[in-house]
Amino acid sequence: MKISSILSSGFVIASALQFVAAYPGSGVALTPRKTSILINPAAQPDLPTAAQAQAAASAASLNLDDIQGDILIGMKKNQELFFFFSITNSTLFKQKLKSDIKVRVTTTTQLLSVSSQPTTALNVAFSQQGLNALGVTDDLGDPLFTAGQEADASVLGDPGTTNWVPSFVGKQIHGVFLLASDTTSNLNSFLSDLNAILQGAIQEVYSLNGAARPGDQQGHEHFGFLDGISQPAVTGFNTPLPGQELVAPGVILVGEDSDPVATRPTWAKDGSFLAFRQLSQKVPEFEKFLTDNPIIEDGLTPAQGSALLGARLVGRWKSGAPVDLAPKFDDPVLAADPTRNNNFTFAHPGQNILNDQTNCPFTAHIRKTKPRADFPTPNPGNHIIRAGIPYGPEVGPAEAASNTTVTERGLAFVAYQSDISNGFHFLQHTWANNVGFFFNKNQTQPGWDPLIGANGGQPRWALGLDQTNFDRNITLENDFIVSRGGEYFFSPSLSALSGALSA
Ligand code: HEM
Ligand SMILES: *[C@@H]1O[C@H](CO)[C@@H](O)[C@H](O)[C@H]1NC(C)=O
Ligand SMILES: *[C@@H]1O[C@H](CO)[C@@H](O)[C@H](O)[C@H]1NC(C)=O
Ligand SMILES: *[C@@H]1O[C@H](CO)[C@@H](O)[C@H](O)[C@H]1NC(C)=O
Ligand SMILES: *[C@@H]1O[C@H](CO)[C@@H](O)[C@H](O)[C@H]1NC(C)=O
Ligand SMILES: *[C@@H]1O[C@H](CO)[C@@H](O)[C@H](O)[C@H]1NC(C)=O
């Protein structure tokens, strides 16, 4: 190749730019991105642009440069690695946290534009054991966090820790690094950098690889339903679409307006509690249940009756269209329109919301975890931002034919909130697992959330799933979702990392 053609090639220009892009203030070079780290299926709401978010943030005095990037962006990651570690030398770890780690931690602002996204985004969060190991003695004001998730297992409906991944048992985990990118090779090379930086300071306890599912299943969880459609909008970050609820920043971020807990250490401001759960999904078993129990209704084939049952368990069709607006057949056009696919309340003219489940069962997953007009007055407190990602391989043909899961797969569930007892814990325990919820309906016990409701591994049941007979009581002999455990973490602000949590 001639020198002149090398000089005019994009390759040379691109490599020259590598010396411009760097982690802020670090001198560590970055390859500028041309494509986003994030996925954005049509049905999911777009993130705000950096300029829109900046305008909203300054009006609400929120500092998006100080908030870790994973918290507000939801379920849009392409590839993610959860790296759970224990701290082996806290002096060294603190030094590195303040310096090499802190400069690599990705902020909310950075994730909003492709041009400011790093090759691999990094977030970090600590368990109470981790804060203890770092000598941080401040009480963060969240008793569930302090006690750790293992102590919460039975209350969450898990049969103790029988099915838990051993690493989540015994408080071994001090923290988690969340690495996000668009290729596994990016994640792996970032991880080896991280391990080199933290040589002698940490030890791996466990790791879990998540990835968006391939092809047209991108953004869908393993049962096949599009996920990440309905998230709360947060004042100071984004503007609600029709039907989307706007919540005060303190519902998600510690120390912000409407944080329910008054006494927090100053350094905890703009952090968020991260509830992590490894939720395995029995996909062939779920499919068999739908096949064996179609809703029998005029005009529906058995396959359509099975698809309808699945949609009524979730409250949305696989496409993402809500059953409240598309009660009998899927509507892919509605599904793909974020201005319409969340614009419903479960109330309909001519229907009584206290006894009518024509459009959506009381127990549907999205109704149990996000009541809308079921509550006569707004419910400002019980909200989470879901930021999980599927893990595990696709179902193979032999596995599907056998109706039995061979290889584990599921959802690496992540929920952010300012108070775990109002957020994840409340949704799981007080709503999904509570057969009496909703309380004011003509059925005193509508049943379990048929998807995530958990009864200590014992059978569950739900009414309202059959559109032709609301009182039909369907028994769910086996769980389609089996908890493999997890941990409660705190994802601090960047300034708290700079001060190495100010202890
Ligand atoms: C493997 C486990 C799970 C699966 C497969 C799953 C699946 C889904 C799907 C398909 C949706 C509809 C998409 C959307 O509205 O964005 C959804 C929504 C939702 N899920 Fe889950 N989910 C799981 C676990 C959980 C857990 C453990 C919780 C909380 C305890 C939860 C809370 C929610 C909430 C709050 C919504 C949004 C409801 C709304 O705003 O309308 N999910 N989930
Ligand atoms: C921990 O790291 C510090 C700082 O690098 C070092 O001085 C110290 O010897 C290490 N402690 C142990 C037990 O390795
Ligand atoms: C949202 O729903 C309301 C009430 O059904 C309706 O009036 C409005 O036009 C809908 N908005 C969009 C964008 O479809
Ligand atoms: C609740 O009301 C619905 C609609 O009127 C009716 O079909 C159902 O039988 C009622 N169930 C109970 C337990 O009263
Ligand atoms: C799997 O389940 C389907 C639906 O019930 C059934 O037709 C098929 O025979 C089952 N296959 C095996 C291997 O049990
Ligand atoms: C539904 O059936 C189960 C047994 O499978 C029973 O324990 C439960 O009480 C029934 N629920 C209602 C509301 O009848």
Side-chain angles (χ1 to χ4, degrees), residues 255-293:
E256 291 291 347
D257 170 40
S258 298
D259 176 351
V261 179
T263 49
R264 309 272 204 188
T266 325
W267 62 264
K269 186 170 190 237
D270 286 341
S272 185
F273 291 98
L274 185 176
F276 180 87
R277 298 274 277 170
Q278 179 172 331
L279 298 173
S280 74
Q281 294 177 254
K282 307 280 191 185
V283 179
E285 291 86 344
F286 180 78
E287 289 299 337
K288 179 174 166 57
F289 174 77
L290 298 185
T291 305
D292 292 347
N293 296 282

Side-chain angles (χ1 to χ4, degrees), residues 72-370:
L72 297 173
I73 65 150
M75 305 186 77
K76 288 187 180 281
K77 275 137 307 178
N78 195 324
Q79 306 274 327
E80 187 166 17
L81 175 63
F82 299 89
F83 183 88
F84 300 93
F85 60 90
S86 65
I87 298 164
T88 52
N89 182 330
S90 64
T91 313
L92 182 58
F93 184 81
K94 261 192 183 183
Q95 273 170 21
K96 297 294 180 183
L97 191 60
K98 289 181 187 172
S99 55
D100 302 274
I101 300 302
K102 194 256 165 183
V103 296
R104 286 170 172 79
V105 170
T106 311
T107 70
T108 308
T109 311
Q110 271 176 293
L111 277 183
L112 294 178
S113 318
V114 174
S115 61
S116 54
Q117 286 176 357
T119 310
T120 298
L122 176 68
N123 272 207
V124 62
F126 298 97
S127 67
Q128 179 66 62
Q129 299 310 116
L131 295 182
N132 296 350
L134 293 173
V136 178
T137 53
D138 294 320
D139 180 357
L140 281 186
D142 191 307
L144 291 171
F145 167 78
T146 303
Q149 194 176 107
E150 185 178 350
D152 208 17
S154 300
V155 186
L156 295 172
D158 294 4
T161 55
T162 325
N163 299 323
W164 279 37
V165 172
S167 300
F168 291 127
V169 182
K171 300 191 173 189
Q172 309 165 53
I173 292 171
H174 290 164
V176 57
F177 287 117
L178 299 88
L179 278 54
S181 193
D182 51 352
T183 67
T184 25
S185 67
N186 283 346
L187 294 183
N188 291 338
S189 72
F190 190 93
L191 183 63
S192 58
D193 290 351
L194 200 60
N195 276 322
I197 291 167
L198 291 170
Q199 174 76 40
I202 63 166
Q203 227 164 42
E204 173 176 357
V205 177
Y206 178 60
S207 65
L208 186 67
N209 265 100
R213 294 185 52 217
D216 66 1
Q217 292 301 296
Q218 191 184 67
H220 296 243
E221 49 71 45
H222 274 293
F223 294 140
F225 295 86
L226 187 66
D227 211 346
I229 303 166
S230 182
Q231 300 270 14
V234 176
T235 303
F237 180 63
N238 51 358
T239 314
L241 288 164
Q244 190 180 14
E245 187 160 349
L246 181 66
V247 303
V251 174
I252 306 298
L253 297 162
V254 165
E256 291 291 347
D257 170 40
S258 298
D259 176 351
V261 179
T263 49
R264 309 272 204 188
T266 325
W267 62 264
K269 186 170 190 237
D270 286 341
S272 185
F273 291 98
L274 185 176
F276 180 87
R277 298 274 277 170
Q278 179 172 331
L279 298 173
S280 74
Q281 294 177 254
K282 307 280 191 185
V283 179
E285 291 86 344
F286 180 78
E287 289 299 337
K288 179 174 166 57
F289 174 77
L290 298 185
T291 305
D292 292 347
N293 296 282
I295 293 176
I296 313 232
E297 221 178 310
D298 284 348
L300 295 187
T301 63
Q304 287 172 325
S306 293
L308 177 59
L309 176 63
R312 287 176 68 83
L313 298 176
V314 174
R316 290 186 184 271
W317 297 86
K318 288 188 172 176
S319 66
V323 295
D324 200 49
L325 299 179
K328 204 160 166 184
F329 298 101
D330 190 6
D331 182 344
V333 178
L334 164 68
D337 183 349
T339 67
R340 295 201 294 136
N341 67 17
N342 212 13
N343 189 23
F344 59 92
T345 64
F346 305 119
H348 297 275
Q351 278 187 17
N352 181 352
I353 196 167
L354 299 179
N355 65 31
D356 200 323
Q357 306 182 65
T358 306
N359 292 54
C360 186
F362 298 145
T363 58
H365 175 56
I366 68 159
R367 193 165 183 173
K368 276 267 199 178
T369 58
K370 173 76 170 72

Side-chain angles (χ1 to χ4, degrees), residues 312-468:
R312 287 176 68 83
L313 298 176
V314 174
R316 290 186 184 271
W317 297 86
K318 288 188 172 176
S319 66
V323 295
D324 200 49
L325 299 179
K328 204 160 166 184
F329 298 101
D330 190 6
D331 182 344
V333 178
L334 164 68
D337 183 349
T339 67
R340 295 201 294 136
N341 67 17
N342 212 13
N343 189 23
F344 59 92
T345 64
F346 305 119
H348 297 275
Q351 278 187 17
N352 181 352
I353 196 167
L354 299 179
N355 65 31
D356 200 323
Q357 306 182 65
T358 306
N359 292 54
C360 186
F362 298 145
T363 58
H365 175 56
I366 68 159
R367 193 165 183 173
K368 276 267 199 178
T369 58
K370 173 76 170 72
R372 297 181 190 220
D374 296 304
F375 282 164
T377 47
N379 165 48
N382 306 110
H383 302 280
I384 56 176
I385 293 202
R386 292 171 300 130
I389 189 167
Y391 71 89
E394 293 293 294
V395 176
E399 204 177 4
S402 74
N403 300 323
T404 308
T405 297
V406 175
T407 317
E408 182 181 342
R409 63 182 60 76
L411 184 67
F413 177 85
V414 170
Y416 289 104
Q417 61 264 290
S418 63
D419 183 311
I420 299 169
S421 68
N422 279 346
F424 162 70
H425 176 95
F426 195 91
L427 272 50
Q428 181 71 56
H429 167 265
T430 311
W431 287 348
N433 295 356
N434 184 350
V435 294
F437 184 69
F438 294 86
F439 309 118
N440 51 350
K441 307 298 188 190
N442 75 333
Q443 296 169 334
T444 44
Q445 294 203 321
W448 309 85
D449 174 330
L451 214 58
I452 67 162
N455 186 20
Q458 298 304 303
R460 306 161 302 139
W461 49 266
L463 313 183
L465 299 176
D466 187 341
Q467 226 168 16
T468 67

